[in-house]
Amino acid sequence: MAVPTADGGLATSLPEGAEPGAENAENPARPARQTAVPAVDDPIQPSGQPLVPQLGLGGSSEHPGALLRRRPGHEEYHGLVQDRIADLDALEAAGGAPLAPDSRTLVALDVDGTILDMDGCVSERVMASIARLRAYGVPVVISTGRGVQAAMPVARHVGLTSGWMICANGALTVRLEPDAPGGYEVVDQRTFDPGPAIAALLEAIPDGIAAVEVPGGGFKVSRPFPDGELIEGQEVVSMEELCSRPVTRVVLRAPGMGVEEFSALVAESGLHSVTYAIGWTAWLDVAPQGVTKASALEALTARLGLEPARALAVGDGSNDVEMIEWAGVGAVMGSAPQWVRDRGNLLTAPVWSDGCAAVLDALVERARQIS
């Protein structure tokens, strides 16, 4: 069940009676984060929307830009990495699994707001940190709310042409294969009947744009999305066709509507038997019941013979909470809403300050220091 948050987002699949921002009710012994990062007053957009067309990675005209966006200098960034090393040391000392940059450690990375900033750019530090992990044999898994067509350009941009990727908030698991059509192969797909969800949502928000994702084929939509928001193709179809077959994801978009109003209307819609998440614009992702990034990563680690305790997950949005809590180390971006920060056990700097790169570099540098 989804719960509205003070930040205008929705928490998904929280334990019964839990409130956003509370400690992990299912695992109260989970170590808390060790190093404080200053609060951020200007949030970014962590939902499934792609960003910035000039890179071919998508775009949105409504995301709120951060007022202070400055990449840290060398010494400042070095300090961030040292802070994250201290965090990892403290978590291991508190009983956490020792993480090392090797093939036994899976690293799961959200896209929008984590490795991709508000301008749709991946910084050189993020690119370099991912490359370093790959050189050590670490399986780096993109784990995103985006569909495959919107996620593939990001994967290629950061050098991931082989390995694995979780898309559509866990509804799709794909193997990256350069020789396969499109560069990937779908190995797991979870679908649901979109009709009840679409009916409930459009009754609550009649002016909303409803869409369903067609894996490998873009979106079918009730009317066009704002320019630049979808990297995938979109086909306007009748409501009957929109609801005619099982899908991996339903999207509702309400251009121009405030997130708080949008969240309240969605919460009152009576939507059930699905899992859903809202981002920083009036954009809703709906997935099959029980399907999250965490559920897909759980299945993937079992397939690869790895352990969740030796996983590092980095994210910033409501759709990242389950995977952050699932991983042995759940790192939250400093640009995340407060209740999302409270669900992780490590807090890093915001996306525009290379917070994700600092965590990844800490994993490598910590091992080098120990050796």
Side-chain angles (χ1 to χ4, degrees):
M1 186 64 182
V3 183
T5 74
D7 297 284
L10 292 185
T12 63
S13 304
L14 292 179
E16 184 176 356
E19 294 293 334
E23 295 300 321
N24 185 347
E26 295 180 308
N27 185 10
R30 183 177 176 86
R33 63 177 183 267
Q34 303 299 319
T35 303
V37 174
V40 178
D41 295 326
D42 37 9
I44 64 164
Q45 167 198 326
S47 77
Q49 294 145 272
L51 299 175
V52 176
Q54 61 263 33
L55 288 180
L57 303 182
S60 173
S61 60
E62 293 188 14
H63 68 78
L67 298 178
L68 299 175
R69 290 182 289 168
R70 180 184 60 83
R71 297 289 176 195
H74 176 76
E75 292 300 323
E76 184 181 354
Y77 180 72
H78 178 72
L80 291 175
V81 173
Q82 293 303 309
D83 286 344
R84 301 294 78 80
I85 291 174
D87 289 342
L88 293 174
D89 287 345
L91 290 170
E92 184 176 333
L99 297 187
D102 58 34
S103 59
R104 299 170 297 171
T105 299
L106 181 143
V107 172
L109 302 177
D110 172 51
V111 171
D112 299 291
T114 299
I115 64 173
L116 202 68
D117 68 16
M118 294 86 59
D119 295 327
C121 297
V122 181
S123 78
E124 291 183 4
R125 287 188 178 122
V126 170
M127 298 276 285
S129 65
I130 291 174
R132 292 178 78 192
L133 289 182
R134 295 273 289 177
Y136 277 90
V138 176
V140 178
V141 179
I142 295 293
S143 185
T144 178
R146 292 176 174 225
V148 180
Q149 285 184 306
M152 282 299 295
V154 178
R156 293 191 182 104
H157 189 68
V158 299
L160 299 178
T161 57
S162 62
W164 299 85
M165 189 164 64
I166 305 299
C167 296
N169 291 314
L172 290 168
T173 299
V174 305
R175 183 173 62 90
L176 299 175
E177 174 52 63
D179 295 331
Y184 68 91
E185 173 190 11
V186 176
V187 298
D188 191 17
Q189 178 173 303
R190 306 299 174 92
T191 62
F192 68 110
D193 176 6
I198 291 174
L201 290 169
L202 289 182
E203 182 177 355
I205 307 175
D207 293 333
I209 305 172
V212 296
E213 185 175 11
V214 180
F219 282 92
K220 293 186 177 181
V221 300
S222 59
R223 72 176 194 271
F225 273 58
D227 289 344
E229 286 197 354
L230 292 179
I231 227 177
E232 307 94 329
Q234 51 182 315
E235 177 188 2
V236 178
V237 300
S238 67
M239 195 59 59
E240 181 180 7
E241 184 173 351
L242 208 62
C243 303
S244 64
R245 65 189 63 185
V247 300
T248 54
R249 179 167 61 143
V250 168
V251 174
L252 183 73
R253 180 74 169 97
M257 182 178 288
V259 175
E260 290 187 6
E261 179 185 2
F262 183 73
S263 301
L265 291 173
V266 169
E268 294 170 2
S269 69
L271 197 63
H272 59 85
S273 298
V274 292
T275 302
Y276 62 100
I278 290 178
W280 284 107
T281 59
W283 174 298
L284 171 77
D285 278 336
V286 182
Q289 176 65 21
V291 172
T292 64
K293 294 181 181 182
S295 67
L297 287 166
E298 178 72 23
L300 180 59
T301 53
R303 176 190 288 267
L304 299 179
L306 302 177
E307 301 176 13
R310 296 185 65 90
L312 166 65
V314 190
D316 74 316
S318 59
N319 60 339
D320 296 317
V321 168
E322 292 88 356
M323 84 165 179
I324 288 167
E325 294 185 333
W326 165 85
V329 174
V332 183
M333 302 296 291
S335 32
Q338 184 59 53
W339 77 269
V340 176
R341 299 183 210 178
D342 291 339
R343 307 307 288 187
N345 51 16
L346 184 156
L347 182 65
T348 190
V351 62
W352 51 84
S353 296
D354 288 325
C356 179
V359 175
L360 305 186
D361 280 339
L363 183 60
V364 172
E365 290 301 316
R366 177 171 176 263
R368 291 176 59 179
Q369 290 180 9
I370 292 174
S371 62

PDB file of all heavy atoms in Angstrom, residues 272-291:
ATOM      1  N   HIS A 272      -5.354  -0.658  -5.944  1.00  0.00           N
ATOM      2  CA  HIS A 272      -4.876  -1.764  -5.126  1.00  0.00           C
ATOM      3  C   HIS A 272      -4.395  -2.891  -6.030  1.00  0.00           C
ATOM      4  O   HIS A 272      -4.518  -2.837  -7.254  1.00  0.00           O
ATOM      5  CB  HIS A 272      -5.962  -2.267  -4.182  1.00  0.00           C
ATOM      6  CG  HIS A 272      -7.205  -2.744  -4.875  1.00  0.00           C
ATOM      7  ND1 HIS A 272      -7.355  -4.011  -5.365  1.00  0.00           N
ATOM      8  CD2 HIS A 272      -8.350  -2.087  -5.193  1.00  0.00           C
ATOM      9  CE1 HIS A 272      -8.539  -4.140  -5.928  1.00  0.00           C
ATOM     10  NE2 HIS A 272      -9.163  -2.983  -5.846  1.00  0.00           N
ATOM     11  N   SER A 273      -3.825  -3.920  -5.412  1.00  0.00           N
ATOM     12  CA  SER A 273      -3.270  -5.075  -6.131  1.00  0.00           C
ATOM     13  C   SER A 273      -2.144  -4.690  -7.083  1.00  0.00           C
ATOM     14  O   SER A 273      -1.882  -5.395  -8.057  1.00  0.00           O
ATOM     15  CB  SER A 273      -4.375  -5.820  -6.893  1.00  0.00           C
ATOM     16  OG  SER A 273      -5.327  -6.310  -5.996  1.00  0.00           O
ATOM     17  N   VAL A 274      -1.495  -3.562  -6.819  1.00  0.00           N
ATOM     18  CA  VAL A 274      -0.348  -3.129  -7.602  1.00  0.00           C
ATOM     19  C   VAL A 274       0.638  -2.453  -6.658  1.00  0.00           C
ATOM     20  O   VAL A 274       0.335  -2.182  -5.502  1.00  0.00           O
ATOM     21  CB  VAL A 274      -0.735  -2.129  -8.715  1.00  0.00           C
ATOM     22  CG1 VAL A 274      -1.580  -2.804  -9.789  1.00  0.00           C
ATOM     23  CG2 VAL A 274      -1.467  -0.931  -8.140  1.00  0.00           C
ATOM     24  N   THR A 275       1.823  -2.182  -7.156  1.00  0.00           N
ATOM     25  CA  THR A 275       2.813  -1.401  -6.428  1.00  0.00           C
ATOM     26  C   THR A 275       3.055  -0.127  -7.220  1.00  0.00           C
ATOM     27  O   THR A 275       3.211  -0.180  -8.431  1.00  0.00           O
ATOM     28  CB  THR A 275       4.134  -2.181  -6.286  1.00  0.00           C
ATOM     29  OG1 THR A 275       3.865  -3.413  -5.612  1.00  0.00           O
ATOM     30  CG2 THR A 275       5.155  -1.386  -5.487  1.00  0.00           C
ATOM     31  N   TYR A 276       3.071   1.010  -6.550  1.00  0.00           N
ATOM     32  CA  TYR A 276       3.245   2.233  -7.312  1.00  0.00           C
ATOM     33  C   TYR A 276       4.148   3.226  -6.613  1.00  0.00           C
ATOM     34  O   TYR A 276       4.373   3.154  -5.413  1.00  0.00           O
ATOM     35  CB  TYR A 276       1.900   2.874  -7.665  1.00  0.00           C
ATOM     36  CG  TYR A 276       1.001   3.320  -6.531  1.00  0.00           C
ATOM     37  CD1 TYR A 276       0.950   4.655  -6.156  1.00  0.00           C
ATOM     38  CD2 TYR A 276       0.162   2.417  -5.887  1.00  0.00           C
ATOM     39  CE1 TYR A 276       0.091   5.074  -5.150  1.00  0.00           C
ATOM     40  CE2 TYR A 276      -0.702   2.830  -4.893  1.00  0.00           C
ATOM     41  CZ  TYR A 276      -0.739   4.158  -4.523  1.00  0.00           C
ATOM     42  OH  TYR A 276      -1.589   4.568  -3.523  1.00  0.00           O
ATOM     43  N   ALA A 277       4.702   4.140  -7.403  1.00  0.00           N
ATOM     44  CA  ALA A 277       5.647   5.131  -6.899  1.00  0.00           C
ATOM     45  C   ALA A 277       5.469   6.425  -7.663  1.00  0.00           C
ATOM     46  O   ALA A 277       5.227   6.422  -8.864  1.00  0.00           O
ATOM     47  CB  ALA A 277       7.084   4.635  -7.047  1.00  0.00           C
ATOM     48  N   ILE A 278       5.608   7.529  -6.944  1.00  0.00           N
ATOM     49  CA  ILE A 278       5.466   8.868  -7.532  1.00  0.00           C
ATOM     50  C   ILE A 278       6.786   9.611  -7.395  1.00  0.00           C
ATOM     51  O   ILE A 278       7.456   9.532  -6.376  1.00  0.00           O
ATOM     52  CB  ILE A 278       4.341   9.662  -6.827  1.00  0.00           C
ATOM     53  CG1 ILE A 278       2.976   9.043  -7.193  1.00  0.00           C
ATOM     54  CG2 ILE A 278       4.376  11.132  -7.214  1.00  0.00           C
ATOM     55  CD1 ILE A 278       1.809   9.708  -6.535  1.00  0.00           C
ATOM     56  N   GLY A 279       7.159  10.346  -8.430  1.00  0.00           N
ATOM     57  CA  GLY A 279       8.408  11.108  -8.414  1.00  0.00           C
ATOM     58  C   GLY A 279       8.163  12.569  -8.126  1.00  0.00           C
ATOM     59  O   GLY A 279       7.133  12.956  -7.577  1.00  0.00           O
ATOM     60  N   TRP A 280       9.117  13.402  -8.534  1.00  0.00           N
ATOM     61  CA  TRP A 280       9.053  14.830  -8.194  1.00  0.00           C
ATOM     62  C   TRP A 280       8.190  15.641  -9.145  1.00  0.00           C
ATOM     63  O   TRP A 280       7.969  16.814  -8.936  1.00  0.00           O
ATOM     64  CB  TRP A 280      10.459  15.411  -8.127  1.00  0.00           C
ATOM     65  CG  TRP A 280      11.144  15.014  -6.873  1.00  0.00           C
ATOM     66  CD1 TRP A 280      12.155  14.108  -6.740  1.00  0.00           C
ATOM     67  CD2 TRP A 280      10.866  15.477  -5.556  1.00  0.00           C
ATOM     68  NE1 TRP A 280      12.511  13.978  -5.430  1.00  0.00           N
ATOM     69  CE2 TRP A 280      11.744  14.818  -4.676  1.00  0.00           C
ATOM     70  CE3 TRP A 280       9.955  16.387  -5.026  1.00  0.00           C
ATOM     71  CZ2 TRP A 280      11.750  15.028  -3.314  1.00  0.00           C
ATOM     72  CZ3 TRP A 280       9.960  16.609  -3.662  1.00  0.00           C
ATOM     73  CH2 TRP A 280      10.847  15.936  -2.826  1.00  0.00           C
ATOM     74  N   THR A 281       7.709  15.057 -10.221  1.00  0.00           N
ATOM     75  CA  THR A 281       6.680  15.686 -11.027  1.00  0.00           C
ATOM     76  C   THR A 281       5.444  14.805 -10.924  1.00  0.00           C
ATOM     77  O   THR A 281       5.486  13.725 -10.343  1.00  0.00           O
ATOM     78  CB  THR A 281       7.104  15.821 -12.503  1.00  0.00           C
ATOM     79  OG1 THR A 281       7.378  14.513 -13.024  1.00  0.00           O
ATOM     80  CG2 THR A 281       8.329  16.688 -12.639  1.00  0.00           C
ATOM     81  N   ALA A 282       4.329  15.249 -11.491  1.00  0.00           N
ATOM     82  CA  ALA A 282       3.087  14.482 -11.417  1.00  0.00           C
ATOM     83  C   ALA A 282       3.161  13.302 -12.378  1.00  0.00           C
ATOM     84  O   ALA A 282       2.543  13.278 -13.440  1.00  0.00           O
ATOM     85  CB  ALA A 282       1.897  15.391 -11.733  1.00  0.00           C
ATOM     86  N   TRP A 283       3.937  12.329 -12.001  1.00  0.00           N
ATOM     87  CA  TRP A 283       4.217  11.135 -12.803  1.00  0.00           C
ATOM     88  C   TRP A 283       4.094   9.933 -11.893  1.00  0.00           C
ATOM     89  O   TRP A 283       4.736   9.857 -10.841  1.00  0.00           O
ATOM     90  CB  TRP A 283       5.616  11.227 -13.390  1.00  0.00           C
ATOM     91  CG  TRP A 283       6.117  10.014 -14.123  1.00  0.00           C
ATOM     92  CD1 TRP A 283       6.322   8.764 -13.626  1.00  0.00           C
ATOM     93  CD2 TRP A 283       6.484   9.954 -15.508  1.00  0.00           C
ATOM     94  NE1 TRP A 283       6.799   7.930 -14.591  1.00  0.00           N
ATOM     95  CE2 TRP A 283       6.905   8.627 -15.751  1.00  0.00           C
ATOM     96  CE3 TRP A 283       6.520  10.877 -16.538  1.00  0.00           C
ATOM     97  CZ2 TRP A 283       7.349   8.214 -17.005  1.00  0.00           C
ATOM     98  CZ3 TRP A 283       6.964  10.459 -17.780  1.00  0.00           C
ATOM     99  CH2 TRP A 283       7.376   9.155 -18.005  1.00  0.00           C
ATOM    100  N   LEU A 284       3.287   8.960 -12.289  1.00  0.00           N
ATOM    101  CA  LEU A 284       3.038   7.759 -11.488  1.00  0.00           C
ATOM    102  C   LEU A 284       3.443   6.524 -12.263  1.00  0.00           C
ATOM    103  O   LEU A 284       3.077   6.357 -13.428  1.00  0.00           O
ATOM    104  CB  LEU A 284       1.547   7.675 -11.135  1.00  0.00           C
ATOM    105  CG  LEU A 284       1.067   6.379 -10.485  1.00  0.00           C
ATOM    106  CD1 LEU A 284       1.461   6.351  -9.023  1.00  0.00           C
ATOM    107  CD2 LEU A 284      -0.439   6.240 -10.620  1.00  0.00           C
ATOM    108  N   ASP A 285       4.226   5.652 -11.635  1.00  0.00           N
ATOM    109  CA  ASP A 285       4.549   4.341 -12.186  1.00  0.00           C
ATOM    110  C   ASP A 285       3.755   3.283 -11.437  1.00  0.00           C
ATOM    111  O   ASP A 285       3.754   3.267 -10.194  1.00  0.00           O
ATOM    112  CB  ASP A 285       6.039   4.027 -12.012  1.00  0.00           C
ATOM    113  CG  ASP A 285       6.907   4.656 -13.082  1.00  0.00           C
ATOM    114  OD1 ASP A 285       6.394   4.937 -14.169  1.00  0.00           O
ATOM    115  OD2 ASP A 285       8.103   4.869 -12.815  1.00  0.00           O
ATOM    116  N   VAL A 286       3.104   2.389 -12.154  1.00  0.00           N
ATOM    117  CA  VAL A 286       2.349   1.296 -11.550  1.00  0.00           C
ATOM    118  C   VAL A 286       2.925  -0.020 -12.057  1.00  0.00           C
ATOM    119  O   VAL A 286       3.058  -0.224 -13.263  1.00  0.00           O
ATOM    120  CB  VAL A 286       0.844   1.374 -11.910  1.00  0.00           C
ATOM    121  CG1 VAL A 286       0.081   0.248 -11.231  1.00  0.00           C
ATOM    122  CG2 VAL A 286       0.266   2.724 -11.513  1.00  0.00           C
ATOM    123  N   ALA A 287       3.280  -0.903 -11.136  1.00  0.00           N
ATOM    124  CA  ALA A 287       3.871  -2.195 -11.471  1.00  0.00           C
ATOM    125  C   ALA A 287       3.001  -3.313 -10.908  1.00  0.00           C
ATOM    126  O   ALA A 287       2.125  -3.073 -10.076  1.00  0.00           O
ATOM    127  CB  ALA A 287       5.289  -2.284 -10.893  1.00  0.00           C
ATOM    128  N   PRO A 288       3.215  -4.557 -11.334  1.00  0.00           N
ATOM    129  CA  PRO A 288       2.465  -5.677 -10.760  1.00  0.00           C
ATOM    130  C   PRO A 288       2.663  -5.761  -9.251  1.00  0.00           C
ATOM    131  O   PRO A 288       3.713  -5.380  -8.729  1.00  0.00           O
ATOM    132  CB  PRO A 288       3.067  -6.899 -11.464  1.00  0.00           C
ATOM    133  CG  PRO A 288       3.661  -6.370 -12.725  1.00  0.00           C
ATOM    134  CD  PRO A 288       4.138  -4.989 -12.395  1.00  0.00           C
ATOM    135  N   GLN A 289       1.653  -6.276  -8.556  1.00  0.00           N
ATOM    136  CA  GLN A 289       1.720  -6.394  -7.106  1.00  0.00           C
ATOM    137  C   GLN A 289       2.954  -7.190  -6.694  1.00  0.00           C
ATOM    138  O   GLN A 289       3.245  -8.258  -7.233  1.00  0.00           O
ATOM    139  CB  GLN A 289       0.467  -7.096  -6.567  1.00  0.00           C
ATOM    140  CG  GLN A 289       0.492  -7.361  -5.076  1.00  0.00           C
ATOM    141  CD  GLN A 289       0.490  -6.085  -4.253  1.00  0.00           C
ATOM    142  OE1 GLN A 289       0.094  -5.032  -4.743  1.00  0.00           O
ATOM    143  NE2 GLN A 289       0.928  -6.170  -3.020  1.00  0.00           N
ATOM    144  N   GLY A 290       3.700  -6.641  -5.738  1.00  0.00           N
ATOM    145  CA  GLY A 290       4.864  -7.334  -5.203  1.00  0.00           C
ATOM    146  C   GLY A 290       6.108  -7.232  -6.047  1.00  0.00           C
ATOM    147  O   GLY A 290       7.166  -7.737  -5.654  1.00  0.00           O
ATOM    148  N   VAL A 291       6.010  -6.593  -7.212  1.00  0.00           N
ATOM    149  CA  VAL A 291       7.175  -6.458  -8.089  1.00  0.00           C
ATOM    150  C   VAL A 291       7.866  -5.137  -7.798  1.00  0.00           C
ATOM    151  O   VAL A 291       7.266  -4.071  -7.896  1.00  0.00           O
ATOM    152  CB  VAL A 291       6.767  -6.529  -9.568  1.00  0.00           C
ATOM    153  CG1 VAL A 291       7.944  -6.182 -10.469  1.00  0.00           C
ATOM    154  CG2 VAL A 291       6.252  -7.925  -9.907  1.00  0.00           C
TER     155      VAL A 291
END
